[in-house]
C-alpha cells in the first residue's frame, strides 16, 4: 500500500514536473531514468572494458602499469557526453555521477580485467576547489560503481596536498611537474596487496591519473586499474 502511495505521488509529480532526459531534455518514461532510451542507445560507448589493450590503456603505455583501463563513453566536444559531465561537474547534479557509476559498474563486472577489485578510489580534488564546488564529482561516480560492483570505496589513502599555485603562468612542463607532486598516500597498509580501481570523470592527457597511479603503485603488491566516465581524444 505504502509503495502504491509513493508511486501515485511520483506519477503526480511527473505530471507537473516531467522527468527529463539529461542528455536531450526530452521527457523520459520513468522517474528513475537518467537518460531516455534513445540516448542510452546513442551515447558513444567505448566498450574498452572488453579489451586488455585499448586506447585508454595505450595512453599509459610505458608510464603506468595497469591491470585494466576503460572509459564508459567517448567525449565529443558539444556532444551528449560533454553535457552529462558538465551537469555533474558544474551544475551540482551528483545523481548523474551515481547513476552513470551504477550503469558502468554492471558493464565492468562483465570484464575479466575488473573482477577482483578490492577498493575504488576517486581522484581527490584540490581541497580549495572542493570547498568551492562543495563536492568531488568523481566521488559520486565512484559511489555508483562501488554500489554496482559491491566493492568498498576508499577515501583514506590517496590525498591531494593543500598547496596553492597558479597554473596559468607556468609552462607545460612545469604544470606537469606540479601535478606529479600534488598527490600523496597515507594509511599505506590498507592498499598493500590490493587491486585498486582509480576513477575520475574524464581522461584527457592522463597526467592526473598518472600522478595518482604512480603514488599508489609504490605500495607493496598493489595492482592498479582505472576507469572514467569519458575518454577525450588528445
Ligand atoms: Zn535523451
Amino acid at each position: 500500500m505504502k509503495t502504491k502511495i509513493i508511486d501515485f505521488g511520483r506519477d503526480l509529480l511527473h505530471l507537473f514536473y516531467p522527468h527529463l532526459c539529461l542528455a536531450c531534455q526530452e521527457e523520459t518514461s520513468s522517474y528513475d531514468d537518467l537518460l531516455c532510451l534513445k540516448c542510452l542507445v546513442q551515447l558513444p560507448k567505448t566498450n574498452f572494458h572488453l579489451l586488455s589493450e585499448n586506447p585508454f590503456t595505450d595512453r599509459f603505455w610505458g608510464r603506468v602499469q595497469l591491470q585494466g583501463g576503460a572509459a564508459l563513453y567517448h567525449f565529443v566536444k558539444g556532444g551528449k557526453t560533454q553535457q552529462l559531465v558538465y551537469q555533474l561537474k558544474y551544475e551540482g547534479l551528483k545523481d548523474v555521477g551515481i547513476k552513470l557509476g551504477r550503469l558502468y559498474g554492471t558493464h565492468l563486472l562483465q570484464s575479466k580485467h575488473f573482477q577482483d577489485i578490492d577498493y575504488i578510489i576517486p581522484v581527490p580534488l584540490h581541497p580549495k576547489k572542493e570547498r568551492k564546488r562543495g563536492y568531488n564529482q568523481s566521488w559520486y561516480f565512484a559511489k555508483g560503481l562501488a554500489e554496482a560492483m559491491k566493492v568498498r570505496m576508499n577515501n583514506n589513502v590517496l590525498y591531494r596536498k593543500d598547496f596553492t599555485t597558479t597554473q596559468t603562468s607556468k609552462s607545460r612542463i612545469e604544470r606537469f611537474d606540479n601535478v606529479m607532486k600534488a598527490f600523496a598516500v597515507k594509511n599505506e597498509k590498507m592498499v598493500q596487496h590490493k587491486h585498486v580501481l582509480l576513477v575520475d570523470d574524464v581522461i584527457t592527457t592522463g597526467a592526473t591519473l598518472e600522478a595518482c597511479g604512480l603514488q599508489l603503485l609504490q605500495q607493496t603488491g598493489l595492482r592498479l586499474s582505472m576507469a572514467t566516465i569519458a575518454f577525450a581524444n588528445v
Side-chain angles (χ1 to χ4, degrees):
M1 186 61 193
K2 206 172 174 186
T3 50
K4 272 196 176 157
I5 293 170
I6 292 168
D7 284 347
F8 180 67
R10 280 186 174 182
D11 288 346
L12 259 184
L13 205 68
H14 192 75
L15 195 65
F16 294 109
Y17 302 97
H19 195 65
L20 304 180
C21 164
L22 289 170
C24 71
Q25 315 305 324
E26 295 282 319
E27 202 173 320
T28 58
S29 50
S30 155
Y31 181 83
D32 288 320
D33 285 346
L34 173 72
L35 301 163
C36 70
L37 210 59
K38 202 173 130 205
C39 287
L40 206 58
V41 174
Q42 281 182 351
L43 269 152
K45 280 203 200 80
T46 71
N47 285 322
F48 288 164
H49 63 291
L50 300 174
L51 307 161
S52 344
E53 285 179 28
N54 61 59
F56 190 110
T57 56
D58 284 351
R59 200 157 285 180
F60 294 96
W61 197 87
R63 293 161 68 188
V64 185
Q65 200 187 351
L66 293 181
Q67 303 295 309
L72 175 57
Y73 296 127
H74 286 286
F75 188 92
V76 183
K77 220 167 182 230
K80 287 176 177 173
T81 310
Q82 185 180 22
Q83 200 176 333
L84 285 176
V85 171
Y86 187 90
Q87 292 176 98
L88 167 63
K89 214 165 166 174
Y90 302 108
E91 296 187 340
L93 293 182
K94 301 162 187 168
D95 239 22
V96 173
I98 294 177
K99 287 182 179 176
L100 289 178
R102 282 183 196 147
L103 174 71
Y104 203 29
T106 59
H107 292 204
L108 292 183
L109 282 179
Q110 291 164 15
S111 158
K112 62 176 187 217
H113 310 292
F114 299 90
Q115 288 296 328
D116 61 343
I117 305 286
D118 296 296
Y119 284 121
I120 298 181
I121 300 185
V123 165
L125 263 191
H126 190 285
K128 206 175 157 195
K129 212 180 230 178
E130 185 162 346
R131 278 196 293 275
K132 202 171 159 200
R133 189 173 295 167
Y135 64 99
N136 173 0
Q137 70 279 2
S138 298
W139 191 90
Y140 288 92
F141 179 54
K143 188 172 188 289
L145 282 172
E147 274 178 35
M149 298 174 82
K150 298 190 169 51
V151 172
R152 282 171 295 176
M153 268 177 78
N154 189 317
N155 297 300
N156 302 315
V157 172
L158 185 69
Y159 68 99
R160 198 158 186 149
K161 295 177 203 162
D162 192 356
F163 69 94
T164 38
T165 171
T166 46
Q167 292 279 29
T168 41
S169 61
K170 292 193 162 56
S171 72
R172 211 189 135 121
I173 292 168
E174 282 174 315
R175 280 206 300 272
F176 187 77
D177 250 19
N178 253 341
V179 174
M180 285 298 145
K181 286 185 236 149
F183 300 93
V185 166
K186 58 183 179 181
N187 303 317
E188 292 88 346
K189 281 212 168 111
M190 284 184 96
V191 286
Q192 286 174 357
H193 305 285
K194 301 283 189 222
H195 186 183
V196 168
L197 179 63
L198 178 66
V199 309
D200 205 358
D201 51 356
V202 182
I203 172 173
T204 47
T205 62
T208 309
L209 284 164
E210 178 181 356
C212 294
L214 290 177
Q215 288 296 325
L216 288 167
L217 282 171
Q218 284 179 24
Q219 313 316 312
T220 314
L222 185 140
R223 289 174 300 130
L224 181 68
S225 291
M226 294 178 183
T228 62
I229 297 170
F231 180 84
N233 285 317
V234 284

